[in-house]
Structure formats: structure tokens, C-alpha cells
Amino acid sequence: MAKESFDKEIQFLRMLVLTSGAYSRQQFAERLGISVHTYDKTIRRLKDILQAVYQQLPQEQGKEFAETLRFNYYESADPMLLFLYRAKSLKDSETYRLTLLLAAMQEARTAMELLDACCGQMPADLPLPDEKTIRSDLKYLEEVGVIRREPGGRPYRYRIHNDLTNELTYEELVDLYDFVDVMSNTQVPSVQGYLLRDTIKKAVKQAENETAFVEPFLYKYHYHSRILDEAHLNTLLHAIRQRRLVRFLYFSPKSRKSYGSQNTNPLFERETEGKQELVLPIKVVYDHQYGRWYLLGTNARHGVKKYRMEGLTQIEEGEAVSEDLFDAKRQQLEDQIRHSWLIDTGRSVTVRARFYNPEGVQPNFVRERVLSQGQWGRIAVEEEDSFVYEITVNGTTEIKPWLRSFGSSCEVLEPAALRRELMEEWKEIQDYYESVREDF
């Protein structure tokens, strides 16, 4: 799958889930910045991937991809959008070839034996591999730890590296699955964890004894963008480690479009609402409250810049910068976000809020939550029925949802502007719950 295609399909899936099929084909294409023909082509491509990965789906669920996402995504505990990662960077011929190789290496095989096995089973409409291709595949699979080379001289023999699952008992496999399941659903990044979980699940079902396997935890993850945006994570972290600039086409959350195709035909060129950016990436931040990834970096023209990762497309690494320059830019960023609740670089302000202790409840869960989530803030005053929490932050936009989440247990004292904002919001909420009829 080409890099541009993967970017397009990420944005395609995000919008498909967010709109729940409410857009027409024309509206969907316009919002993405693609043609209706490309829309239809992308639907067919994703449908093929879906049917290949989720072969256990009933036939009627595989007929319409949009319908499947619309009606089944939120009914499943599994992050269904994860299927896109299984198809990333793989052509059809590679998919078949690697599948045949892995199936053949259940027993130790030489490269020539694997070549014969592939040539004998490849579909007629796909090109046959040569020895160089097979050896390249073996080198790749060995590097990522999927297979191992058996001891001995030439010709080398290769076998599936599945000792971990083969040597564990059924009970140990179930315990391992439960652990990976918990971690992949509660930690970030999680895509690799989900893939590992699925692999262990297959091993559990193969080793299943008389007791049927029952999943003890069922997670309902609603932040689909988090999973989709992890596609950019390794690229950006690699650029940060190598101190390299990155170029990308950025679509802000306020933009009417979320994708722009790379037009090679001048007859079909169109203006895109995206903005070409050249940035030195310094830090990646994850917002647990909203399930969003952010890229923080510096730009030669604007200094410190912040980007929602969901708006990044067509990412490419550029030239490297000196270590001294990178350290100076990183220090500049750290200075600006030192008092950020998350990534805000606005003017610093001191927030004071009174939290009320729950009556007759021990332990004091309000105090415990403030201490665990309150970052560098401190309890300035402690009384019998309440305590005053104080913190200096860059702006109040990011801390406001956290304060509001305490409901009547929190009263903002300062600054006065934030207090007035919250009062207006609570009045608005109260109006929503007014009785429609006076005698109701």
C-alpha cells in the first residue's frame, strides 16, 4: 500500500466512523478532497482488506463496507479499524507470498524448498517469486523475529519462531492473553499490543482444552482516532531521534477538508485547503482526556508550533540538524510548556479552586483524585470540609474540563474570568433540564 494511499484510507476511515454513513458519496468525496471515482475505488480496496482480515464475518456483513462500520463497529469490543495496519505496505503478491512462506515454515525449510513451495501455490494471476525475493523475505522475517535460522551450516534452514506460545501451558497462555489484553487497552501506543493479543488468542484457541475460552475483560474503546494516528508515531519518533526535519501537508481541525490527493494529471489539479509545513519535530504528546495525539516542534518562521496528528498527511523526513541546534530548540519548547496542563503555550495564570470533601465517605476519593491528577499543583489550604488547590498553568482552556469534571465538588475561586465562564456554562446546562411544562 503506497504511503499516500495509507494516508487517504486513514482519513477515509476516520470520517466514515464519525459521520456514521450520514454523508452521500458526493459530500464524502468533497469533504476529503477526492473524486467520487476515488471514493468508490477506496471503498472497494477497504472492503477487500476487511474481507481478507475478518474472514469470520457473516457474508451479509461483508457486502457493504460502510454498512459494516456503521452498524457493527460500536457493537464490537475489538478496535475494528485496526485491520488497516495488517494491510499497510503490503502488495497483494507480498501478502500471498508471506502467507505461503509462514505456512511452509511450520517445519524447518531451506530457501530453495520455500521457493518451490511458493511457486507451486501462488495464484495464476500473481507473479512468481525468484530466489532473490525469497531470500529478501527471509531476511526481513528473521529481523523482525517472526522466524529463526536453525543451527547448522549451509544450506540454512528456517523455522517459525513460535517457541513462546508452544512451550507455555494452556493456563499460562490464558494468563498471558489477559495481561496483553489489559495493557493494549489501557496503555499507549497500543497497535502492537492489539496485534500481539490477536496472535496469542489464536494460540489459545489452538491449545484449547475441555474448558471453553472465555474473555474475562470486555473493553469498549471509543477513541478510534488514537489508533489511526499511531500510523504516524514511529515515523515522527524516528525523526526526533535522528534530529531530522519533517515535511507534511497539514489540515487543521477547522479546515473544511481533511485530505488532499497528490494530483499528477494537470487536467485534474485542484486547490487544496491543506498547508505545506516544514517542521523540526521535538515532542509527541498524548491527550488522555480526548484520545488525541499532538506533534510539537519548531518552525523557522513561527517558532514553536503545535499540530493535531489527525491532520498530518504525506509525511516525509528531511535533512538532519546539528545536535546543538536541536538541543536549543528543545529547551525553547520546554520553557514554553513548563506550565502547560497539556500543550498550551499561552500566558501563565494562577488557578485556585475549592474542593469539597464527600460527607461520611472514606477514603476521601476527591482529595485522592486531585493529588493523583493535579500534576504540579498543591493543596494550599486544608479545612475540615474542604481544601483549596492552587496551580499555575498556561491559560485555563486545558484545565477547565478537568475542574468541571468534579461537578458540585469543585468551586473555582480564581481567576475571576474562569469562574464567570464556568458559572455561565452551568447555567446553560441548567436551562437544558428545565421542565417543558410547569405542571410536569
Side-chain angles (χ1 to χ4, degrees):
M1 186 185 298
K3 181 182 293 186
E4 183 195 357
S5 176
F6 193 59
D7 283 340
K8 175 179 60 186
E9 286 157 0
I10 286 176
Q11 299 297 346
F12 192 101
L13 289 173
R14 178 181 284 112
M15 192 178 302
L16 198 59
V17 174
L18 286 174
T19 61
S20 298
Y23 282 4
S24 67
R25 291 164 64 242
Q26 185 64 42
Q27 290 172 321
F28 207 105
E30 289 178 359
R31 185 70 174 81
L32 271 175
I34 61 178
S35 65
V36 176
H37 170 74
T38 304
Y39 169 89
D40 294 336
K41 183 178 176 182
T42 307
I43 279 282
R44 288 195 298 272
R45 166 66 175 158
L46 291 173
K47 178 181 170 183
D48 290 342
I49 300 172
L50 181 71
Q51 290 175 335
V53 174
Y54 288 91
Q55 295 178 357
Q56 71 273 21
L57 285 177
Q59 183 63 29
E60 62 273 11
Q61 289 187 11
K63 289 182 180 178
E64 292 296 335
F65 178 79
E67 297 276 316
T68 302
L69 271 182
R70 181 179 179 182
F71 295 113
N72 297 299
Y73 176 72
Y74 288 109
E75 294 175 6
S76 170
D78 290 329
M80 187 171 146
L81 301 182
L82 190 70
F83 78 89
L84 188 60
Y85 288 87
R86 294 184 172 90
K88 183 183 179 182
S89 302
L90 286 180
K91 301 176 183 176
D92 289 341
S93 58
E94 290 175 319
T95 304
Y96 277 99
R97 191 173 68 248
L98 293 179
T99 301
L100 292 173
L101 286 174
L102 293 175
M105 281 185 284
Q106 297 295 333
E107 299 178 358
R109 298 289 187 93
T110 65
M112 297 309 296
E113 290 173 340
L114 292 170
L115 175 61
D116 293 339
C118 276
C119 291
Q121 300 180 56
M122 284 289 282
D125 57 335
L126 294 178
L128 296 178
D130 55 18
E131 182 182 352
K132 182 179 178 181
T133 302
I134 294 296
R135 292 193 182 278
S136 176
D137 290 340
L138 291 174
K139 182 180 179 181
Y140 164 71
L141 292 172
E142 187 177 10
E143 286 177 351
V144 298
V146 175
I147 65 173
R148 69 177 185 186
R149 189 164 57 186
E150 295 286 87
R154 295 178 181 276
Y156 296 124
R157 306 180 75 82
Y158 299 86
R159 182 192 295 272
I160 288 282
H161 191 8
N162 57 355
D163 292 351
L164 174 63
T165 55
N166 286 345
E167 292 177 3
L168 294 178
T169 65
Y170 177 77
E171 290 74 16
E172 290 171 334
L173 278 173
V174 171
D175 288 343
L176 179 59
Y177 175 84
D178 292 344
F179 173 77
V180 174
D181 189 30
V182 170
M183 297 302 289
S184 59
N185 279 283
T186 58
Q187 304 296 312
V188 291
S190 60
V191 167
Q192 298 299 326
Y194 284 124
L195 297 175
L196 176 60
R197 183 194 66 168
D198 291 349
T199 300
I200 299 173
K201 188 174 185 178
K202 291 176 183 176
V204 169
K205 296 204 168 181
Q206 288 176 355
E208 192 171 348
N209 55 18
E210 294 81 10
T211 306
F213 173 64
V214 177
E215 298 186 54
F217 311 108
L218 286 178
Y219 293 92
K220 193 61 175 174
Y221 199 81
H222 299 286
Y223 295 138
H224 53 271
S225 289
R226 186 197 89 174
I227 297 171
L228 294 176
D229 293 339
E230 286 185 22
H232 303 313
L233 200 55
N234 285 334
T235 301
L236 294 174
L237 292 178
H238 180 268
I240 292 172
R241 285 192 294 268
Q242 300 296 320
R243 305 187 307 276
R244 290 186 174 275
L245 297 168
V246 291
R247 296 180 179 86
F248 51 82
L249 184 65
Y250 182 66
F251 295 85
S252 73
K254 297 179 182 178
S255 173
R256 291 182 56 84
K257 288 185 172 62
S258 60
Y259 176 78
S261 60
Q262 296 179 355
N263 296 296
T264 55
N265 189 335
L267 295 177
F268 294 95
E269 282 188 357
R270 66 183 74 183
E271 283 194 26
T272 175
E273 295 188 15
K275 187 176 181 182
Q276 290 288 346
E277 298 280 358
L278 178 63
V279 177
L280 177 62
I282 296 175
K283 178 174 283 193
V284 173
V285 176
Y286 177 67
D287 181 0
H288 284 270
Q289 184 152 13
Y290 293 105
R292 294 173 183 156
W293 291 97
Y294 291 90
L295 169 66
L296 278 63
T298 61
N299 181 290
R301 178 182 296 178
H302 302 289
V304 172
K305 293 273 288 183
K306 297 166 285 187
Y307 303 91
R308 284 254 290 268
M309 207 177 291
E310 66 191 63
L312 271 60
T313 63
Q314 303 173 22
I315 301 177
E316 295 179 355
E317 285 191 8
E319 59 275 13
V321 302
S322 68
E323 188 173 352
D324 290 341
L325 176 61
F326 183 83
D327 290 341
K329 295 297 185 182
R330 180 170 56 187
Q331 189 59 51
Q332 177 189 356
L333 175 64
E334 294 294 343
D335 290 342
Q336 291 198 32
I337 65 172
R338 178 169 289 118
H339 292 136
S340 300
W341 184 259
L342 184 67
I343 59 170
D344 199 338
T345 54
R347 183 174 57 85
S348 293
V349 60
T350 298
V351 175
R352 298 180 75 247
R354 181 179 298 279
F355 289 88
Y356 294 93
N357 300 323
E359 293 184 12
V361 177
Q362 289 296 332
N364 186 340
F365 62 87
V366 173
R367 189 177 190 278
E368 288 186 357
R369 183 182 167 199
V370 170
L371 289 175
S372 65
Q373 299 178 353
Q375 303 200 47
W376 59 90
R378 66 186 184 91
I379 295 178
V381 179
E382 192 146 17
E383 301 173 356
E384 185 176 348
D385 62 340
S386 65
F387 58 90
V388 176
Y389 164 82
E390 189 175 285
I391 187 172
T392 299
V393 291
N394 290 348
T396 59
T397 302
E398 294 176 342
I399 195 175
K400 186 165 69 171
W402 181 74
L403 295 169
R404 192 169 49 210
S405 68
F406 285 89
S408 60
S409 295
C410 173
E411 177 191 2
V412 172
L413 306 176
E414 297 177 11
L418 176 60
R419 181 180 174 88
R420 287 194 297 270
E421 284 179 25
L422 287 171
M423 288 172 63
E424 292 301 320
E425 289 179 7
W426 287 118
K427 287 178 182 178
E428 184 179 353
I429 293 173
Q430 184 182 25
D431 291 341
Y432 292 157
Y433 289 92
E434 280 189 336
S435 297
V436 178
R437 290 167 45 189
E438 293 183 1
D439 59 343
F440 185 70

